[in-house]
Every structure is written in structure tokens, then in C-alpha cells.
């Protein structure tokens, strides 16, 4: 049914699919299916359902919590051949695209018409719309524009028994918002085959500023000061000294060598309003001890600044053989405290930790540097990561801002939610996925002692 292109077997081909961006655990699927149409997805899933074989959906594999790890799951269903644009409706500012379409390609499709697709994960040149919906992804511009669910008008979903649903969530569509329920469900409720997305008018003007601070504490205080001034920047991102060092070596933007932290602040809207807002941002940053504030007016400078931020993960290889990206949230006002706690945890576990943040959202990404060939370092990374996330909870935040629970954080769900809430989530999953054939062992804690991965989990809690 799928032809040669639609079926991968053999060691070399399958090795590519043994993990996503969370590389601490690996497991190879027995078979990868690459259907090209909704009908092929539906028929494949129906056959797997009849045979009682578990399967996991996968987009581009850029997830960072092991969401598409085929742990004890024989079959993977990839969407890389589902890249058709089904409909472009400029008058109503919407598109319908298949699940395997790459995020950035949606904006490329409509930018000539003064529109764009707002959710912009830093991985947007590779990650797919199906993966974005499954993770409810955001990006640097989430602060003003929101996350995927805020731009989603409808979904086509193949249920774990092969049935195809059309789910609309447009105003006035009535009934339960099932597309909203599927958003962020990390591939545990079925396979998304297409999504209808709302487009946003590209702002008339954009001002991108760089503010340099002696350290992350001063930069964190400036974040609160900017918001307290009544501004809603489109983006408010922070990089600490270690990240700056790596991105400077990789992309040569010209960050000052002694910068302790930088904020990238982007304002957008009507050109007439931006100059005044830039003055307000400058005042707020100066009050918190900024040593330098620059406005990137030249489009090339702005592009390079964003390249440095969005490709910061890629530059980490210059600092250590491996890194583990954590993803936690704290209330914005607690940023200075979590920054101190992360530093203390790094010292306690003798690990270098670089800090990257969607600071305006209180979403932190500590990057724990280590060598994955040293099991003792791996243990310290896992324990330190866990302590960071528990600190986020203590400060009134959560254990994920945008990277999901996947397989990585299932152990932390009981610390995040009460038993009744966890039971309601399990009940909901059962309605869509009663035999737990679609992406088992993810999100909710379960008995995972049977799960085979190449690296035994060093800390208990299976
Ligand atoms: C360098 C880098 C930067 C990143 N920056 C950001 C960022 O700024 N913001 C952000 O939110 N995330 C970010 N991420 C995380 C990741 O890119 C997102 O979670 C992205 O949405 C995953 O898309 P994907 O296509 O790679 O999905 P995958 O990794 O393939 O899958 C992710 C999850 O979605 C499920 N899934 C995939 N496709 C489908 C489908 N069609 N139907 C049902 N379930 C499906 C999988 O089972 C899995 O659970 C970053 C990752 C990297 C490596």
C-alpha cells in the first residue's frame, strides 16, 4: 500500500529515528511507515489497531522531551511525505496544510501578501506543523502573539483505530473544542494529518533592540521593569554569558566580550509609536544597570541578531560535547530567584549551565553541559535537571513551557498535578486511545520498567 518510499527497514535507515532532540534515551523502531495521504495513515493505523501493535507519530524529530521516542513501540509513523498545501484563503487569512509541512514554509507561502504565521519556534526551519500542534509550540514571539492553539482553526485527526475526524474550532462551530484538546497532547490521542491555521498581518514596523547587562540578575530585573512600564514587546529574550560566548564564536554578531547577559527586545506595530516605546525600553534598561543599548535598524543586523538567538542551541557544541536543554516556567517576577537557584544547582552538581530564556514569558531554558559518554555526568545532569524543575514548581511555575512532558518528565507529573487531575487526564486519553496503542508511556506516569531504551534511566522512578 505504501510502496518502497513509504516503508523503512534495516539498521542504517532506522538509526535516524532512535531519538529526537532529547538524546539521553534511545530506542530503535522495528519499522518506520511514511504514508503520503490521510487515507494511507488511516489504513495503516487501522491495520496496526487490528493487530494490537503500538505506534508513535513523528514529525521532524526536533522535540526535546522524547515525545516521539519509540520506547517499547515497534512502529513509527512519520509525516515527512505529507507536505501538501491544501488551501490558501488570503481573504479570510487562513491556510490548510498537511501535518508534515515545515513551520517556516507557511510564512514563506504568504509573506509576499503581507501575512505570516505567528508561532515561530527557534526550530522553525525544520519542525512540522503536526509536531507544533502536538506540542502546542510557541517561540520568541509568544509573548505578544501566543502559542499554536491561539492560531489554530481546525484539525484533521486519524484516531488510533483509523477513523478520520474533521475538528473545527472556529467561532460559532459549537460542540466541544476537540481540536483544542488534541493540541498539546503530544501524539497520544491520534495522528494529526492536516491543520487549518490563522494568519497574522505582518506589522507595519519593527524595532529590535539589544541591551547588554553585567549579569543575568540585572537583565531579569529589566524584564520586569519593561513589562511594568506597560509595554508588550513582541519578543523579550535573554542569553547569559556562556550562551553569548558560544553564539559569538559561531555567528560573530559583535556581542561585547565582557557581557554578563543580553536582552533582545523586539517591538512591533505602527511606525509612529515605536520610537517612543524604544525610549521607554531604554529608560527601563538603564535603570537596571545596562552598560549598552543598541537598536538594530539595519535589516541585516536584525537578521544576524535573530540568527544568533534562534541558532543558539546549535552553537552549544562549541562549549561541550553534549548538552541537555531544560524547559521550565516561573512567574516573571521570580526570574531573578530562579536564575540564582539554577546557578546554585550547577555548583552543587559541578556542572556548567548556560541560560537561554524566553524571559518575557518566564520560560527558562537552562542548558546543562556535559559529556554523554560519561555515565556519571549523565546522572548528574538528570538529577540537576530534576532539581531545576522542582525549583520552578516551588516558585509557582511549571515543569514545561513549550517542550512538553514526553517521556522525560512523566515522573514529575505527580509533583505538578493532584491525583484527581491526573485521573481526569488518563480518562480523557482513554476516550481517544482506549487500547493505548498510540504513543504509550508518554505524558502520564505509568509502569515503565518494561520499556526498553538503550540507556537505563540512572535515577529511579519508572
Ligand atoms: C534547536 C531547537 C529549538 C527549539 N525551539 C523551540 C521553541 O522556540 N519553541 C518551542 O515550542 N519548541 C521548540 N523546540 C522544540 C520542538 O522543535 C517543537 O516541540 C516542535 O513543535 C516539534 O516539532 P516536530 O515536527 O519536530 O515534532 P516531533 O519532534 O517529531 O514530535 C514531537 C511530538 O509530537 C508528536 N507528533 C509529531 N507529529 C505529529 C502528528 N502529525 N500527529 C500527532 N502527533 C504528532 C510526536 O509523537 C511527539 O510526541 C526546539 C527544538 C530544538 C531542537
Amino acid at each position: 500500500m505504501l510502496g518502497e518510499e513509504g516503508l523503512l527497514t534495516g539498521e542504517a535507515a532506522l538509526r535516524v529515528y532512535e531519538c529526537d532532540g532529547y538524546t539521553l534515551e534511545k530506542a530503535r523502531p522495528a519499522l518506520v511507515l511514511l504514508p503520503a495521504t490521510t487515507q494511507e495513515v488511516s489504513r495503516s493505523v487501522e491495520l496496526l489497531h487490528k493487530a494490537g501493535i503500538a505506534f508513535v507519530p513523528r514529525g521532524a524529530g526536533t522535540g526535546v522531551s522524547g515525545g516521539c521516542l519509540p520506547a517499547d513501540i515497534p512502529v513509527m509513523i512519520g509525516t515527512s511525505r505529507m507536505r501538501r498545501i491544501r488551501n490558501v484563503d488570503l481573504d479570510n487569512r487562513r491556510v490548510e496544510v498537511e501535518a508534515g509541512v515545515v513551520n517556516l514554509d507557511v510564512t514563506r507561502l504568504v509573506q509576499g501578501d503581507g501575512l505570516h504565521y505567528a508561532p515561530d519556534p527557534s526550530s522553525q526551519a525544520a519542525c512540522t506543523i503536526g509536531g507544533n500542534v502536538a506540542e502546542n509550540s510557541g517561540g520568541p514571539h509568544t509573548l505578544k502573539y501566543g502559542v499554536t492553539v491561539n492560531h489554530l482553526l481546525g484539525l484533521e485527526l486519524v484516531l488510533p483505530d483509523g477513523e478520520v475526524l474533521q475538528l473545527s474550532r472556529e467561532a460559532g462551530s459549537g460542540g466541544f473544542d476537540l481540536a483544542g484538546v488534541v493540541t498539546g497532547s503530544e501524539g497520544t490521542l491520534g495522528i494529526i494529518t492536516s491543520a487549518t491555521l490563522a494568519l497574522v498581518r505582518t506589522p507595519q514596523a519593527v524595532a529590535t533592540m539589544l541591551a547588554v547587562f553585567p549579569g543575568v540578575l540585572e537583565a531579569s530585573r529589566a524584564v520586569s521593569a519593561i513589562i511594568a512600564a506597560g509595554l508588550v514587546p513582541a519578543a523579550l529574550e535573554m542569553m547569559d554569558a556562556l550562551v553569548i560566548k558560544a553564539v559569538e564564536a559561531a555567528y560573530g554578531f559583535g556581542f561585547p566580550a565582557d557581557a554578563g547577559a543580553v536582552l533582545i527586545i523586539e517591538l512591533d506595530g505602527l511606525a509612529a509609536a515605536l520610537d517612543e516605546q524604544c525610549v521607554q525600553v531604554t529608560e527601563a534598561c538603564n535603570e537596571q544597570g545596562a552598560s549598552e543599548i543598541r537598536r538594530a535598524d539595519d535589516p541585516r543586523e536584525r537578521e544576524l541578531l535573530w540568527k544568533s538567538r534562534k541558532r543558539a542551541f546549535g552553537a552549544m557544541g562549541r562549549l561541550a560535547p553534549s548538552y541537555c536543554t531544560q524547559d521550565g516556567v516561573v512567574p516573571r517576577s521570580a526570574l531573578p530567584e530562579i536564575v540564582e537557584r539554577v546557578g546554585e544547582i550547577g555548583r552543587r552538581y559541578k556542572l556548567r549551565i548556560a541560560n537561554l530564556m524566553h524571559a518575557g514569558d518566564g520560560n527558562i531554558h537552562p542548558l546543562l553541559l556535559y559529556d554523554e559518554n560519561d555515565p556519571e555526568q549523565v546522572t548528574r545532569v538528570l538529577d540537576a535537571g530534576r532539581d531545576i524543575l522542582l525549583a520552578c514548581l516551588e516558585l509557582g511555575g511549571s515543569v514545561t513551557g513549550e517542550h512538553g512532558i514526553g517521556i522525560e518528565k512523566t515522573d514529575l507529573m505527580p509533583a505538578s498535578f493532584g491525583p484527581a487531575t491526573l485521573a481526569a487526564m488518563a480518562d480523557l486519553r482513554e476516550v481517544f486511545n482506549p487500547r493505548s496503542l498510540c504513543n504509550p508511556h508518554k505524558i502520564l506516569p505509568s509502569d515503565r520498567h518494561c520499556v526498553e531504551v538503550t540507556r537505563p534511566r540512572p535515577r529511579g522512578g519508572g
Side-chain angles (χ1 to χ4, degrees):
M1 172 179 70
L2 300 179
E4 259 182 47
E5 265 185 294
L7 200 126
L8 301 180
T9 53
E11 285 278 304
L14 297 178
R15 189 169 307 146
V16 177
Y17 296 89
E18 66 185 10
C19 69
D20 58 10
Y22 171 69
T23 56
L24 281 167
E25 298 185 42
K26 292 179 179 152
R28 209 165 292 172
L31 189 66
V32 174
L33 307 182
L34 300 174
T37 64
T38 301
Q39 291 68 29
E40 287 181 6
V41 174
S42 165
R43 184 78 184 116
S44 305
V45 166
E46 193 186 339
L47 291 173
L48 291 166
H49 182 257
K50 278 192 182 135
I53 297 172
F55 53 91
V56 53
R58 172 172 159 130
T62 68
V64 264
S65 57
C68 63
L69 184 79
D72 201 29
I73 303 176
V75 177
M76 181 175 274
I77 302 185
T79 57
S80 59
R81 292 175 69 218
M82 300 195 65
R83 295 216 163 147
R84 274 174 293 270
I85 309 295
R86 290 194 180 168
N87 185 29
V88 181
D89 178 357
L90 294 178
D91 290 340
N92 294 300
R93 290 194 200 161
R94 58 156 91 191
V95 290
E96 186 190 0
V97 300
E98 289 188 343
V101 167
V102 169
N103 172 299
L104 191 56
D105 287 344
V106 178
T107 284
R108 286 193 177 126
L109 186 72
V110 295
Q111 64 189 3
D113 298 288
L115 298 171
H116 70 284
Y117 177 57
D120 62 337
S122 302
S123 54
Q124 69 182 146
C127 65
T128 66
I129 292 298
N132 291 176
V133 174
E135 295 287 345
N136 195 16
S137 295
H141 291 83
T142 287
L143 179 60
K144 182 167 180 179
Y145 292 99
V147 290
T148 301
V149 76
N150 304 115
H151 302 268
L152 186 72
L153 299 173
L155 285 182
E156 182 178 81
L157 179 79
V158 176
L159 286 174
D161 64 1
E163 192 169 336
V164 182
L165 301 185
Q166 304 293 338
L167 306 174
S168 171
R169 63 191 308 267
E170 292 187 49
S173 49
F176 291 104
D177 178 9
L178 295 182
V181 168
V182 170
T183 308
S185 63
E186 302 188 38
T188 61
L189 303 185
I191 301 189
I192 297 153
T193 43
S194 84
T196 303
L197 309 171
L199 302 169
V200 171
R201 182 147 295 288
T202 304
Q204 185 190 54
V206 176
T208 309
M209 302 172 78
L210 174 75
V212 182
F213 294 87
V216 280
L217 285 179
E218 293 84 351
S220 306
R221 290 186 187 120
V223 169
S224 293
I226 291 167
I227 304 289
L231 297 165
V232 185
L236 190 40
E237 301 282 301
M238 193 195 303
M239 302 194 284
D240 78 355
L242 261 182
V243 178
I244 296 166
K245 191 173 154 196
V247 297
E248 185 58 25
Y251 312 117
F253 173 77
F255 294 105
D258 60 348
V262 296
L263 287 182
I264 299 172
I265 307 137
E266 188 153 284
L267 301 157
D268 67 10
L270 294 175
L274 289 191
D275 285 346
E276 172 55 26
Q277 290 180 23
C278 287
V279 171
Q280 287 178 277
V281 166
T282 304
E283 281 169 3
C285 291
N286 278 334
E287 276 164 22
Q288 301 306 324
S291 57
E292 185 185 335
I293 301 172
R294 263 195 252 175
R295 184 167 159 174
D297 280 331
D298 172 2
R300 268 175 311 179
E301 193 186 7
R302 176 176 179 248
E303 199 180 308
L304 187 55
L305 186 55
W306 273 119
K307 179 175 167 187
S308 305
R309 164 59 191 90
K310 290 200 172 184
R311 299 202 186 159
F313 290 113
M316 286 299 126
R318 292 173 181 260
L319 300 181
S322 329
Y323 68 92
C324 175
T325 310
Q326 263 312 343
D327 168 43
V329 179
V330 293
R332 209 165 26 225
S333 56
L335 274 180
E337 187 163 353
I338 192 68
V339 162
E340 275 183 0
R341 303 267 291 260
V342 169
E344 185 274 312
I345 290 166
R347 286 188 292 281
R348 183 151 32 101
Y349 286 100
K350 297 185 175 51
L351 289 169
R352 283 191 304 157
I353 303 182
N355 287 290
L356 198 60
M357 297 178 209
H358 302 303
D361 305 306
N363 184 188
I364 62 166
H365 288 321
L367 304 160
L368 293 82
L369 308 177
Y370 72 108
D371 180 351
E372 75 173 355
N373 293 315
D374 177 351
E376 193 268 333
Q377 283 191 46
V378 172
T379 304
R380 278 190 278 133
V381 165
L382 288 168
D383 290 344
R386 183 184 172 88
D387 284 4
I388 289 171
L389 296 175
L390 290 174
C392 290
L393 286 178
E394 273 173 41
L395 292 172
S398 75
V399 300
T400 174
E402 55 183 19
H403 293 172
I405 300 296
I407 202 156
E408 180 196 11
K409 296 180 186 171
T410 53
D411 299 354
L412 288 165
M413 288 295 273
S416 304
F417 300 99
T421 309
L422 288 176
M425 289 186 190
D427 288 348
L428 178 69
R429 182 178 61 180
E430 203 170 325
V431 170
F432 283 79
N433 187 11
R435 295 174 67 192
S436 205
L437 290 177
C438 186
N439 211 5
H441 318 302
K442 309 293 165 62
I443 304 187
L444 296 172
S446 61
D447 181 5
R448 291 182 39 224
H449 295 296
C450 58
V451 174
E452 278 186 25
V453 291
T454 54
R455 186 183 294 280
R457 290 167 71 81
R459 59 182 152 82

